[in-house]
Amino acid sequence: MLSQVRPRPAPEAAGPFKVVLINPYELGRQPFALAEPAALLKREDIAVTCLDLSLQKLDTEILEDADLVALYVGMHTATRIAVEAIPRIRDIAPQAHLCVYGLYAPMNQKWLRGLGVKTILGGEFEPGLVSLAQRLRAGDACDTQIEPVVNLAKIEFMTPDRSGLPSLHRYAHLPDGGKKMFGFIDASRGCKHLCRHCPVVPVYQGKFRVVPVEVVLADIEQQVAEGAAHISFGDPDFFNGPTHAVKVVAAMHARFPTLSFDATIKIQHLIDRAELLPRLRAAGCLFITAAVESVDDKVLDYFAKNHTRADFERALQLCREAGIFLAPTFVPFTPWTTLEGYLDLLRTLVRLRLVEAVPPIQLCIRLLVPAGSYLLQLPGFRETIEAFDAKLLGYPWRHADPRVDALQQAVQVCAEQGDRQGWSRSDIFGQIWRLAHDALGIEVPPLTRADFGEPIARLSEPWYCCAEPTEQQLLSF
């Protein structure tokens, strides 16, 4: 347990030992993965400074005397930004030991070590980060990593320390007749499922770990005190441990009855645990994000999603009956996508009145195949991809039908331009609708506002798992 590791005294001649934790990007949310290790390091009397590159720039004054700089990479976009930032960090703080931690660190460790990163930590990374900081403070050069690259053991959690992070009002918000601030919390990490395309699987391999209810509540309380009126749970799947999830929301609702929340839950779990949906709604659940990924059962089988198109529609109906919005996410462009299949997805969204529930970025996402992906275990799949591209941090692929790749690029341009110009989701969807029909050379049926469905509760920065970072994000530091 972390509580058994006590600080060693620093050499008398040395100045104060300093750790800088950096978050490249996390979808406009105040990162738990900086606040939790900050609390644990400070408990060991280690000075910690946090930087969030989504809101702040690399600060020379902060970095130049750092002994340890640790970057958190919880998603592909964050990793790409981190890779761009590392050379700049090395210029500012050549003496600092570089560490990269989080979900995408182990799968990209070869490339990261080539950039000068000495320590890679994945899974339950906190004990390794504390151990590394203690060794460095004691005078160990730490040229050889002794901390496990992936730690899946149960660890101790404590109330995160968010004092060094930008204020909640600077992050994304919940549009609700204004700008409602929200808090971001992990109630669990990892996942017990083995979806082939999921980046969680190569690291956690079917395991998940819960954060104790009392720690979750204490974290909620401090974010409510800062003005949060909504809580967004960052768990890969909130129903990996349904008993734990229900305990968390029941305790949260008892203490903060006006607080609303959202969570991510697998389609299969929404059906198998349908009796819990009314309880979630009664406790303040506004919407549930579900990784539907595709409406093509063949693609769903390749992904090992353990649900079908019919299951998706059943889960949607169950959520609607419970009074909860369902926000489906998709990976619409894969090596198995056809033009007809893509148009079928758009038609399905219209038929189910889900256009307003799907941010346009979800309609242009292209399958990412990172190192260690379980997709690589599919017979014949390696023959459809190219050699690993370190810059992309994945295996590139080209569709057998060039028209599919051309459509993906056109849809992405449309979604990005529409977002920059402030178009509504319905307006952008109308343009994508036209592009898909034009790609097939068929007549474009007219759409009406009634086809789009009602706007749903959502966060101001849309959720996505893996998409290319924008040029603005890469230059933000």
Side-chain angles (χ1 to χ4, degrees):
M1 300 291 284
L2 290 179
S3 58
Q4 297 172 335
V5 181
R6 304 314 306 164
R8 304 175 189 175
E12 291 184 6
F17 184 81
K18 181 178 177 181
V19 175
V20 178
L21 302 178
I22 297 178
N23 174 54
Y25 179 67
E26 194 165 13
L27 295 167
R29 296 149 167 84
Q30 191 188 65
F32 175 89
L34 259 61
E36 178 65 14
L40 293 165
L41 288 164
K42 288 179 180 180
R43 187 179 65 178
E44 302 301 318
D45 297 322
I46 295 172
V48 180
T49 301
C50 295
L51 282 176
D52 191 332
L53 297 187
S54 67
L55 296 172
Q56 301 166 300
K57 293 184 179 296
L58 288 178
D59 190 307
T60 300
E61 186 175 345
I62 290 174
L63 287 168
E64 61 186 0
D65 61 345
D67 298 285
L68 168 60
V69 177
L71 297 96
Y72 168 65
V73 290
M75 57 185 300
H76 177 73
T77 301
T79 312
R80 291 287 308 279
I81 295 172
V83 165
E84 296 291 330
I86 285 171
R88 174 65 175 149
I89 294 170
R90 294 186 67 189
D91 286 343
I92 297 172
Q95 79 291 341
H97 183 103
L98 284 184
C99 168
V100 175
Y101 68 97
L103 191 64
Y104 276 76
M107 66 181 72
N108 293 298
Q109 66 169 308
K110 182 178 179 180
W111 177 244
L112 292 169
R113 291 191 192 279
L115 294 175
V117 177
K118 292 186 176 180
T119 301
I120 303 292
L121 302 171
E124 306 303 278
F125 53 79
E126 288 90 349
L129 196 52
V130 171
S131 168
L132 173 63
Q134 290 178 331
R135 291 200 297 129
L136 287 167
R137 184 173 61 175
D140 188 339
C142 296
D143 290 329
T144 300
Q145 178 170 340
I146 65 172
E147 295 76 18
V149 172
V150 175
N151 175 33
L152 298 181
K154 292 182 179 180
I155 68 169
E156 176 190 10
F157 289 93
M158 63 182 295
T159 303
D161 186 334
R162 298 179 178 272
S163 62
L165 289 165
S167 173
L168 279 184
H169 80 271
R170 297 185 60 192
Y171 288 90
H173 59 276
L174 188 78
D176 186 21
K179 292 186 176 181
K180 181 187 289 187
M181 286 192 294
F182 71 90
F184 181 55
I185 289 172
D186 285 352
S188 67
R189 297 196 296 206
C191 187
K192 65 182 181 182
H193 295 279
L194 299 174
C195 303
R196 289 193 182 100
H197 67 304
C198 178
V200 177
V201 174
V203 175
Y204 279 90
Q205 299 179 43
K207 295 181 174 64
F208 76 100
R209 296 288 179 251
V210 301
V211 181
V213 174
E214 60 272 17
V215 173
V216 176
L217 284 181
D219 196 13
I220 291 172
E221 185 170 5
Q222 66 180 347
Q223 293 186 78
V224 170
E226 195 178 341
H230 178 90
I231 295 297
S232 184
F233 287 101
D235 311 40
D237 194 311
F238 200 53
F239 272 5
N240 268 320
T243 301
H244 175 68
V246 169
K247 285 180 179 178
V248 166
V249 297
M252 178 180 69
H253 185 62
R255 188 173 301 182
F256 306 105
T258 63
L259 203 61
S260 60
F261 72 93
D262 70 88
T264 298
I265 302 178
K266 190 175 177 65
I267 291 293
Q268 175 188 345
H269 288 163
L270 291 175
I271 295 173
D272 293 344
R273 299 288 182 172
E275 75 281 359
L276 297 180
L277 295 180
R279 295 175 65 179
L280 294 189
R281 182 67 191 98
C285 184
L286 293 185
F287 66 95
I288 290 171
T289 300
V292 176
E293 313 299 43
S294 178
V295 295
D296 184 331
D297 285 345
K298 179 180 67 175
V299 174
L300 291 170
D301 185 53
Y302 288 140
F303 283 177
K305 285 299 297 179
N306 288 322
H307 73 249
T308 63
R309 176 193 186 117
D311 292 333
F312 159 46
E313 298 193 20
R314 173 62 178 153
L316 173 63
Q317 183 60 32
L318 289 169
C319 287
R320 285 175 169 170
E321 290 172 358
I324 299 173
F325 292 115
L326 183 68
T329 66
F330 298 96
V331 182
F333 288 96
T334 74
W336 311 286
T337 300
T338 63
L339 293 180
E340 293 81 4
Y342 185 77
L343 185 56
D344 181 44
L345 169 62
L346 301 185
R347 288 169 174 164
T348 300
L349 296 180
V350 171
R351 177 173 60 83
L352 298 177
R353 299 180 185 276
L354 281 173
V355 171
E356 287 286 352
V358 180
I361 192 172
Q362 286 292 327
L363 299 178
C364 63
I365 288 179
R366 184 181 178 89
L367 177 66
L368 178 71
V369 187
S373 172
Y374 274 35
L375 284 170
L376 299 172
Q377 300 175 8
L378 274 175
F381 183 74
R382 286 184 179 271
E383 284 68 46
T384 69
I385 58 177
E386 300 174 13
F388 187 82
D389 185 330
K391 183 177 180 181
L392 178 66
L393 298 179
Y395 293 89
W397 56 270
R398 297 185 183 185
H399 201 283
D401 182 351
R403 298 177 302 165
V404 175
D405 287 340
L407 177 60
Q408 188 274 328
Q409 293 169 11
V411 172
Q412 183 168 337
V413 169
C414 176
E416 290 175 351
Q417 288 181 344
D419 182 63
R420 285 196 299 269
Q421 296 177 24
W423 295 356
S424 69
R425 289 182 175 184
S426 298
D427 288 338
I428 299 174
F429 183 88
Q431 296 298 317
I432 294 173
W433 178 257
R434 178 174 294 278
L435 287 171
H437 284 82
D438 287 348
L440 280 166
I442 60 178
E443 184 178 354
V444 184
L447 295 171
T448 66
R449 292 290 173 183
D451 296 320
F452 298 147
E454 62 178 318
I456 71 168
R458 58 186 176 87
L459 304 179
S460 60
E461 191 153 348
W463 188 99
Y464 61 90
C465 181
C466 47
E468 290 297 294
T470 66
E471 183 177 355
Q472 180 180 1
Q473 288 171 329
L474 289 176
L475 296 176
S476 64
F477 49 84

